[in-house]
Amino acid sequence: MRIKHRLSLVGQKEFQHHNQIKKNQPDVYQLSFEATSSKLAHDLLVAYSDDISNKVRNDLIDELDAKISYHQQILQANKISLEANAKQQLANELIKTNYALDMAKSADVTKPLADMNNGELFQIELGTEALAEKSKVLKKN
């Protein structure tokens, strides 16, 4: 089975290339054309070469555009995921801070304590004043 493609140049003879459809060589082209002078033959070959170069360039540009679009979608999805995780961490930190504030108020710890273990889940050693400020800052975000 042969598919003929014709490319004509204005004011010049036309040339044609035949795409040989074979399973093992799908991109093999057979070129045939006729010209009345060597200059015309040269011009036809240059036009054919330009045509093939443009097709290859357009195919590469389309492929690159598809890859760029794909990676942009992945990056956008990652951004959305990271933003959601950050918001969740912020919300969790606000909850922890408010619990610590309630505990510090119950324990009547208004100022920071110097000799407390800093590895605690709830930082009541900061005191109610610092915890209240931390809670205000977290609520703004």
Side-chain angles (χ1 to χ4, degrees):
M1 176 178 176
R2 290 186 177 191
I3 299 174
K4 292 184 179 181
H5 301 281
R6 293 189 181 271
L7 174 68
S8 53
L9 302 171
V10 178
Q12 298 178 356
K13 291 195 176 207
E14 69 179 28
F15 69 89
Q16 57 187 329
H17 63 278
H18 306 279
N19 185 5
Q20 301 290 330
I21 309 257
K22 296 180 184 176
K23 290 184 180 180
N24 58 350
Q25 294 178 325
D27 295 328
V28 174
Y29 290 89
Q30 176 183 343
L31 175 65
S32 65
F33 64 92
E34 294 178 9
T36 57
S37 70
S38 61
K39 168 114 174 67
L40 182 58
H42 174 266
D43 292 345
L44 288 172
L45 281 172
V46 168
Y48 176 78
S49 177
D50 290 345
D51 184 53
I52 295 300
S53 294
N54 288 335
K55 286 179 183 178
V56 169
R57 184 182 319 107
N58 290 339
D59 287 348
L60 288 173
I61 288 171
D62 290 344
E63 186 177 329
L64 287 173
D65 285 343
K67 286 182 180 182
I68 288 169
S69 175
Y70 171 75
H71 288 290
Q72 283 176 332
Q73 290 173 358
I74 289 174
L75 289 172
Q76 185 66 27
N78 287 343
K79 178 186 172 201
I80 290 169
S81 175
L82 289 171
E83 287 174 344
N85 287 341
K87 286 179 183 179
Q88 186 60 47
Q89 287 177 353
L90 188 63
N92 291 345
E93 187 64 26
L94 179 60
I95 291 169
K96 268 181 25 180
T97 300
N98 287 337
Y99 281 141
L101 179 59
D102 289 343
M103 288 182 225
K105 284 179 183 176
S106 296
D108 199 27
V109 179
T110 57
K111 302 287 183 190
L113 301 174
D115 293 333
M116 292 293 288
N117 182 4
N118 289 336
E120 298 294 325
L121 180 62
F122 300 106
Q123 300 174 331
I124 63 171
E125 71 275 2
L126 295 176
T128 57
E129 293 173 0
L131 290 169
E133 286 301 314
K134 183 177 178 181
S135 180
K136 284 180 191 176
V137 169
L138 289 172
K139 284 179 184 176
K140 287 181 183 178
N141 292 323

